[in-house]
């Protein structure tokens, strides 16, 4: 039995976030990268990234929660 092949394409979106200090000519105090495969919308990806980045900033001592 013969089964024809098919092509599948994925969209991979990579994001890099950097947090800069503004004093003393500035320097990067935190940096992170993430990727999303086949995102449905930019809004969804931004929401998901925020849920990952904020706890990471708090854990590393760069940010505080109120």
């Amino acid at each position: 039995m013969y089964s024809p092949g098919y092509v599948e394409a994925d969209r991979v979106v990579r994001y890099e976030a950097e947090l800069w200090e503004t004093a003393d000519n500035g320097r990067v105090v935190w940096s992170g990268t993430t990727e999303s495969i086949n995102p449905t919308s930019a809004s969804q990806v931004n929401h998901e990234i925020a849920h990952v980045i904020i706890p990471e900033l708090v854990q590393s001592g760069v940010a505080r929660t109120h």
Side-chain angles (χ1 to χ4, degrees):
M1 180 174 266
Y2 173 75
S3 176
Y6 62 95
V7 176
E8 191 171 308
D10 290 318
R11 173 177 278 160
V12 178
V13 181
R14 289 186 182 89
Y15 290 88
E16 180 178 0
E18 293 181 342
L19 182 63
W20 286 75
E21 181 179 81
T22 57
D24 300 324
N25 294 326
R27 67 181 177 94
V28 176
V29 293
W30 186 89
S31 177
T33 57
T34 186
E35 69 179 32
S36 181
I37 299 173
N38 296 325
T40 57
S41 72
S43 176
Q44 174 207 2
V45 173
N46 290 338
H47 185 73
E48 291 173 0
I49 290 172
H51 279 268
V52 172
I53 289 177
I54 292 169
E56 190 70 30
L57 292 172
V58 171
Q59 181 181 356
S60 66
V62 175
R64 296 179 295 192
T65 58
H66 295 346

